[in-house]
Amino acid sequence: MFQKEVLFCFFSQAPAYHLILEGILILWIIRLLFSKTYKLHETYKLTEKEKEDLIEEWQPEALVPPVSKDYPTLNYDVVTGPPSHKITINGKDCINFASFNFLGLLDNERVKQKALASLKKYGVGTCGPRGFYGTFDVHLELESRLSKFMKTEEAIIYSYGFATIASAIPAYSKRGDIIFVDEAACFAIQKGLQASRSLIKYFKHNDMEDLERLLKEQELEDLKNPRKARVTRKFIVVEGLYINTADICPLPELVKLKYKYKVRIFLEESMSFGVLGDHGRGVTEHFGVNIDDIDLISANMENALASIGGFCCGRSFVIDHQRLSGQGYCFSASLPPMLAAAAIEALNIMEEDPEETHRLTFKLYFGFVFLYSVHNKLSFGICLKLVGVPVAPALHLELERSSGSRESDMKQLRSVVDYCMERHVALTLARYLEKEERFLPPPSIRVVVTVEQTEEDIQKAVACIREAASALLIS
Amino acid sequence: TGSCFLSRCVLEFLYSSSKRTDLARCGNGLKSISRTQIGCLYKKPFVESFEETPLWVAVLTYMGYGILTIFGYLRDFLRHWNIEKCHVARERDEQKDFVPLYQDFENFYTRNLYMRIRDNWNRPICSVPGAKVDLVERVTRDYNWTFEHTGKVVKDIINMGSYNYLGFAENTGACADAALEVTKMYGAGVGSTRCEMGNLDIHEEMEQLVARFLGVESAMAFGMGFATNSMNIPALMGKGCLILSDELNHTSLVLGARLSGSTIRVFKHNNMQSLEKLLRDAIVHGQPRTHRPWKKILIVVEGIYSMEGSIVRLPEVIALKKRYKAYLYLDEAHSIGALGPNGRGVVDYFGLDSKDVDIMMGTFTKSFGAAGGYIGGKKELIDYLRRHSHSAMYATSMSPPVAQQIITSMKIIMGEDGTTLGADRLRQLSQNTTYFRRSLHEMGFIIYGNEDSPVVPLMLYMPAKIGAFGREMLKRNIGTVVVGFPATPIIESRARFCVSAAHTREMLDTVSRLIPFLTFSLH
């Protein structure tokens, strides 16, 4: 009764518009509560018959698109016999200016004998990854020899050169981290970057100012969000000697930038290991940089060391992590012991005879000078320019003026290569995956100067190239 | 981290108990194929077992991990305050103000759990990885932080860990002699890529032989099995494609799928209903958000799964593939050479046509005693890969003696060398597998996997048993492989035996007699 009185007071004292508004609101709520809800997905629900029809109708694309028969890389050149200094390619005996056999160790007798001895002891395969009885004493010996040679604390071996840097980068850099990479980085590095899912920033090739600009921008970003910056790792990935452009990275400036902006450096030394430096220790020895300043050095043993596989070296703090998180190391079978033994012997030869690398450097200068003469215009409208620095063993010869179409450029260069092969000089076109490369290098012929080639060989090759160019490429 | 760890354990247990019942039901009803039709697809009984973890075992295992986690925290605390000597490698002083390279919690498991039993892995050997192997003796004076080699060699350990299914890991015999000759002629390295100057005549011979062995039109070989997957799947699939991958696929397949840029969907392990549901949903609804039809659908499965010992249900997968017009990628890393009356892998085992599998991939590391991988299929596929594979363009080609080892061993398996050695080894492997599995089963152990698979996982469950089992077996001169988290789910640690044709019955008896003795003493 008391409540009824209170309510009656309330209703009589409230203003009219208030009551009307409340009344409308209540009616609206009642309507909403009892109206049929409009389910969006109901209109999209398909019947079983419709689903079957869709399944019947769907046609996938062909698994692979058709390949045109005259595409150059379809038919590989066949090498009969060992791919050493004198090579038999497509039935013709040539001098090899195409394999990365920089120190001529591919058919060295000592290396072969050691490989044979190892084969007689261990057989060929390892039948397991490193973790499960696939670690041989040869692997441990090679790792310790490599780390001693490079004067680092530890080294780790991979069974495939490509997989070395492609597994090393994602082991350290994850989603959310930042990597600064040179535009001319090789494909293996690009795959490593893709697998890492980090934020990638490219700087112009060998352009330290561009890199510094990017680093400064990142510094400003970090100031805005210091909490995030404290856990974001930053890396610079460069190559010692670039395979695509045959020049050297400016390592001292990079080390300065490293300490200024607190970025770690990963150095890829596949082309410069065994080539640069007084003892062949690579670009750090070449510039006299303290090797501890570089966080990780990665190289493959397929070039100067004439074996198969790759290695990473650096401080134990950095390298040991890869033993559990380097995918190409943990989940793959280990390197066959005979190839590890061949690498150890090649390393022995390199250490015993540092003159070998001096001889290589001399040859490289010699080769460069002669190749450069190709560049000199003999008649108007020539043809090829040399790309690279004198100490690079694998140089590129590009067309001076491109015709505009990559395919026709490649055809022209291929005709030069074929002409030279007829005259017993084996060259090769530098091959790239055109659709997959981020910054596709221009078409070129790769010329490799090794320590086994004599001066006559080099002169002959250069004369041959000049002849081919003037015969085939006069525009 | 500890709480994350434990909560993850609980979630995994809840998930795994549902997983096990699904496996028991799988193959019971595919929408498009009737039960009788499924029965006709299999020419012989398909017997697999994945017993559920008993509840009390699961509880004890979690308790074990809990105790280890608490101790881990305690040790980290002591190390942080320098009460305990810290063996962990440290950052350089000059780089102390850099962003730390590793987050502390990332390595919690490595520092505190893995380190304790680290001596069970990476054991160095110094002989052929055959049926018996010689181990380099190593001791640790600081609880596995560092190892020293004493200089002694522990001889004649029975090797139950190497993937030596047909016993081709040997340093004498036809394979080794042929490889010797090739090394003398060609050398060890190659120095160039396949498409530049690295295509040797021996590679072409090997590829033709592989194609004949598999019964496909054409094949291509690569220098590393891992890289075969991670470099060729991106060449075949791209954006707008769908990859349906088994839950327990190998890291290389997962990496290849990720690098390709396609959408990846995972179906439950060997569960055909789950796969069919994914296929139907994918075709009916198309790509997410845009609903455009998928360009291609690829089903990625393995022949034998190395951690479970299970064999893929290939007849059903092929039936599904044909019905829904998808493509099939079969990774036969462990099954090539090890399954089937002629050693031609899981296709041979089920008596199917190899033309039904679009992409047959495998490795030479396991049954052939060499290294590397291959892909086989139609000529158009291989021509396309020759042009577009990352490996052919940028990676050095296979070493000549390794290629020769593949040629010789394959010829032996096919019987083309004029002896019956291949057929004998295949028969021996199959007999050894059946015998070993039966003896363990009779003793009452929980063994996972198919009864014909030479990979035999023996369940251990508890973390302490992982280390103890490995060490005790080694003391009795048997080398086994023990696996724990993160290669397996957290409560399903196991010891894995790889049966080989080189094992004699006495060796298998020695091993199977020791296991009950050990487990009793470990209890």
Side-chain angles (χ1 to χ4, degrees), chain A residues 58 61 195 264 302 317 437, chain B residues 99 102 258 325 327 394 396:
Chain A
W58 180 69
E61 282 180 6
R264 296 175 197 269
E302 292 158 359
F317 174 70
E437 285 265 7
Chain B
V99 174
Y102 317 114
R258 267 184 43 213
K325 291 175 262 185
Y327 298 112
Y394 295 106
T396 311

Side-chain angles (χ1 to χ4, degrees), chain A residues 28 36 291 429 467:
Chain A
W28 188 257
K36 202 166 169 213
I291 200 153
L429 280 175
E467 237 179 76

Side-chain angles (χ1 to χ4, degrees), chain A residues 52 56 58 61 76 79 100 120 125 127 133 135 194-195 233 258 264 292 302 317 433 437 446, chain B residues 91-92 95 99 101-102 123 125 163 191 196 199 258-259 280 295 323 325 327 386 394 396:
Chain A
E52 291 295 327
E56 286 298 325
W58 180 69
E61 282 180 6
Y76 298 150
V79 174
F100 293 141
K120 286 184 193 138
C127 297
Y133 303 97
T135 306
Q194 196 185 349
R233 296 171 277 236
K258 167 186 169 162
R264 296 175 197 269
D292 283 334
E302 292 158 359
F317 174 70
L433 277 175
E437 285 265 7
R446 185 178 285 136
Chain B
E91 176 69 275
R92 282 174 84 202
Q95 290 177 216
V99 174
L101 191 55
Y102 317 114
R123 290 182 177 154
I125 69 178
Y163 303 138
E196 290 183 13
N199 182 40
R258 267 184 43 213
L259 288 177
R280 289 181 75 85
K295 288 191 196 157
R323 166 82 180 88
K325 291 175 262 185
Y327 298 112
R386 279 194 209 284
Y394 295 106
T396 311

Side-chain angles (χ1 to χ4, degrees), chain A residues 55 97 145 186 287 418:
Chain A
I55 292 171
F97 277 87
R145 288 295 308 284
C186 68
F287 284 114
D418 289 334

Side-chain angles (χ1 to χ4, degrees), chain B residues 496-517:
Chain B
R496 194 184 64 176
F497 299 100
C498 289
V499 180
S500 158
H503 287 136
T504 59
R505 210 150 256 214
E506 291 78 41
M507 289 185 210
L508 294 177
D509 280 334
T510 321
V511 176
S512 50
R513 254 181 295 122
L514 262 175
I515 297 177
F517 171 69

Side-chain angles (χ1 to χ4, degrees), chain B residues 113-399:
Chain B
L113 278 82
Y114 173 74
M115 273 299 172
R116 288 168 177 270
I117 47 175
R118 195 163 83 115
D119 56 311
N120 287 307
W121 294 288
N122 296 302
R123 290 182 177 154
I125 69 178
C126 52
S127 74
V128 181
K132 284 208 171 158
V133 78
D134 299 336
L135 276 189
V136 174
E137 199 186 29
R138 51 181 192 170
V139 290
T140 172
R141 292 183 217 285
D142 48 7
Y143 300 100
N144 291 344
W145 286 100
T146 56
F147 290 105
E148 282 167 22
H149 292 179
T150 58
K152 287 203 279 263
V153 167
V154 185
K155 283 198 167 302
D156 289 338
I157 310 270
I158 299 179
N159 185 358
M160 300 298 288
S162 289
Y163 303 138
N164 181 22
Y165 299 129
L166 289 178
F168 279 111
E170 45 192 17
N171 53 358
T172 51
C175 294
D177 292 335
L180 274 168
E181 290 306 316
V182 163
T183 315
K184 283 186 196 145
M185 191 166 104
Y186 288 86
V190 182
S192 187
T193 61
R194 274 312 278 284
C195 62
E196 290 183 13
M197 204 56 63
N199 182 40
L200 308 176
D201 46 0
I202 201 172
H203 293 139
E204 307 236 314
E205 189 192 335
M206 185 225 339
E207 286 177 354
Q208 281 160 8
L209 184 63
V210 170
R212 236 182 34 236
F213 180 78
L214 295 171
V216 291
E217 283 177 28
S218 184
M220 185 171 176
F222 306 91
M224 186 196 200
F226 185 99
T228 309
N229 282 330
S230 63
M231 295 206 218
N232 289 308
I233 298 182
L236 295 168
M237 295 283 128
K239 273 197 161 46
C241 303
L242 175 67
I243 296 183
L244 297 174
S245 153
D246 188 295
E247 214 178 11
L248 298 179
N249 269 342
H250 191 254
T251 313
S252 56
L253 292 166
V254 173
L255 182 63
R258 267 184 43 213
L259 288 177
S260 68
S262 324
T263 312
I264 307 172
R265 293 202 181 139
V266 171
F267 62 92
K268 297 198 187 128
H269 176 59
N270 233 0
N271 187 330
M272 297 298 113
Q273 286 165 306
S274 173
L275 175 59
E276 188 175 15
K277 182 171 185 308
L278 282 181
L279 275 167
R280 289 181 75 85
D281 284 343
I283 301 178
V284 163
H285 296 292
Q287 299 188 30
R289 292 189 301 138
T290 57
H291 294 291
R292 285 209 195 109
W294 294 102
K295 288 191 196 157
K296 291 179 260 200
I297 299 184
L298 183 72
I299 305 173
V300 178
V301 287
E302 287 188 44
I304 292 183
Y305 291 89
S306 57
M307 283 300 154
E308 302 278 312
S310 51
I311 299 181
V312 67
R313 291 172 181 274
L314 196 60
E316 293 175 57
V317 174
I318 289 185
L320 279 175
K321 166 200 111 98
K322 285 182 174 163
R323 166 82 180 88
Y324 293 101
K325 291 175 262 185
Y327 298 112
L328 180 58
Y329 186 102
L330 179 64
D331 178 343
E332 291 207 82
H334 286 266
S335 52
I336 191 76
L339 277 187
N342 299 314
R344 311 287 164 111
V346 75
V347 169
D348 189 29
Y349 175 74
F350 286 114
L352 298 167
D353 187 3
S354 53
K355 294 191 182 32
D356 285 334
V357 179
D358 301 287
I359 307 162
M360 291 185 78
M361 178 263 168
T363 60
F364 298 118
T365 330
K366 280 95 185 175
S367 305
F368 300 97
Y374 65 85
I375 287 194
K378 290 206 170 58
K379 191 164 181 319
E380 296 88 55
L381 169 70
I382 302 299
D383 284 345
Y384 181 82
L385 282 179
R386 279 194 209 284
R387 179 185 163 191
H388 288 101
S389 162
H390 304 181
S391 171
M393 290 283 171
Y394 295 106
T396 311
S397 32
M398 205 188 265
S399 166

